[in-house]
Structures are given as structure tokens and as C-alpha cells.
Amino acid sequence: FSALLIGLLVACGPSVTLTKTWTDPSLNGDTKPFNKVLVIAQLKDDSTRRIAEDKIVASSPRGNFIQSYNYLKPSEKEEKLVISELTNDGIDGIILMRLTDVEKSTSYVPGTTYYGGWGYRGGFYGGYGYGYGSPGYYQEDKTYYVEANIYDVKTNKLLWTGTLSTVNPSKLDTTLDAIIATIKTELNNKGLIKKEEVTKK
């Protein structure tokens, strides 16, 4: 039973919660979706960054998302020049993801007890049985917070920002998939990307 329960929990994937969001008041029903989007993932290391950017790019059926590690040059420091280059290349939106905090906490997981017996036959012995289960224990939880920001390149303006949290993620791929799906659903609801962008290939 325990093995089955663990298998079901893993199959459900990591739980990602959108804890808070802010949207620029200028966004409305007339907002045009981005044509081309630069994806920047400032995560814990370069390999994780590349994995995250590749996943977001691969999730776009239109093929209009671009990885920053293939585009931005470390030598480019002048913001105006970078924005000018982005505009010339037709990039009108930026998705910036970054890991902002890892919060540790301790929680108590209560034990479980199951009782078995022979049924009630009257008297003390008739109701006597036995118990089995597992003891309670303390566990350390890690909550990861990821901030996602959406910018308009032309105005260099923040249009949407949200903070996502996930507790004790066990697999990078499935956690990133859940985070990306949550972000893209929000962008679709705000009209910043087209509906088909929410669907994976």
C-alpha cells in the first residue's frame, strides 16, 4: 500500500503554487500577443539555466521563443544597445525567470495505526485484537521560490510578475514543466501569448 501511494504521488507530479502576481493596469482585451520572445532563466547554475530555457522554447508550437544562452553575448553590457538589437531582430517580449529563495522548515508527519481483530463476540476477549502501523517523524521541508517577470522590449516595461513556490521538488524536469505550464497559462490569460502557445508539441 505504501509503495502504491508513493507511486501515485510521484505520478501526480510536483505541486506548484502561484503565491502572488501583479499585472500592469494598461493590459486589456486589446493587448496584442508577442511575436517573438527571448527566454532568460537565471537559476542556480548554467546547466539548469540551459535546461529551463530549452524546455520553454520547446513548449512553443510556433517556434517563436529563443534561448538567451544562444543569443545574448556576455560582452554586451549597454542596455540600450541590447534593446536596440532585440528590436531589430523582431523580439518584442522577454520572459525572465529567477530563483529568489529557498526556505527551510520542519514539519511533523504523524504516524499511522491500523487495528485488526476477530470481531466482537461479547466480553473483553471477543473485542481484543492487534495494532500495527508506522511511528510519526519530523522532516525538513525545502520550499523553492521562483519569480517570473514579463517585459515589453519596446517600452522596456514590466507587464506582469508572479512568484511561484514548490515544496521538496524531487525531479528537475517535472518541476520545470509544472512551473512553465503555470507561467504560460497566466500569459495566455493576459493576452501576451496566443492560446496555442500553452499546448506542448
Side-chain angles (χ1 to χ4, degrees):
F1 177 80
S2 298
L4 176 62
L5 180 59
I6 292 172
L8 290 173
L9 290 174
V10 172
C12 292
S15 174
V16 173
T17 303
L18 190 61
T19 58
K20 57 183 177 181
T21 65
W22 174 87
T23 304
D24 185 273
S26 66
L27 289 182
N28 52 52
D30 297 327
T31 300
K32 293 183 179 180
F34 294 131
N35 290 314
K36 192 179 289 188
V37 180
L38 182 69
V39 178
I40 306 173
Q42 296 177 335
L43 300 177
K44 63 178 184 177
D45 51 48
D46 190 61
S47 61
T48 305
R49 168 194 174 188
R50 289 170 178 261
I51 291 172
E53 292 184 5
D54 285 343
K55 274 186 166 291
I56 299 177
V57 170
S59 71
S60 170
R62 295 173 60 204
N64 62 333
F65 286 4
I66 301 172
Q67 301 99 324
S68 70
Y69 72 81
N70 274 336
Y71 185 88
L72 295 178
K73 303 176 182 65
S75 58
E76 292 179 327
K77 303 295 183 181
E78 184 63 40
E79 184 179 38
K80 290 184 178 180
L81 294 178
V82 174
I83 292 177
S84 176
E85 185 176 342
L86 293 173
T87 303
N88 291 336
D89 290 341
I91 298 174
D92 51 0
I94 295 176
I95 297 177
L96 172 62
M97 290 172 50
R98 64 191 185 97
L99 180 66
T100 58
D101 192 19
V102 179
E103 186 179 274
K104 295 182 180 180
S105 60
T106 301
S107 62
Y108 179 73
V109 180
T112 55
T113 303
Y114 304 94
Y115 291 97
W118 298 274
Y120 181 74
R121 303 196 194 103
F124 168 75
Y125 192 78
Y128 176 77
Y130 58 91
Y132 62 96
S134 60
Y137 61 92
Y138 288 92
Q139 70 175 15
E140 183 181 74
D141 299 314
K142 289 184 179 180
T143 303
Y144 290 76
Y145 293 93
V146 174
E147 182 183 85
N149 297 316
I150 312 302
Y151 295 91
D152 178 82
V153 172
K154 185 177 180 180
T155 61
N156 195 20
K157 186 178 182 181
L158 178 65
L159 299 180
W160 180 89
T161 182
T163 299
L164 303 97
S165 66
T166 180
V167 180
N168 298 331
S170 58
K171 293 184 179 180
L172 176 62
D173 282 349
T174 51
T175 301
L176 286 175
D177 286 340
I179 290 174
I180 292 169
T182 303
I183 293 173
K184 293 184 71 175
T185 298
E186 285 294 310
L187 295 185
N188 174 65
N189 293 338
K190 305 302 179 186
L192 294 175
I193 59 175
K194 293 184 178 180
K195 290 184 178 181
E196 60 264 28
E197 296 293 357
V198 178
T199 306
K200 291 185 177 183
K201 291 182 179 180

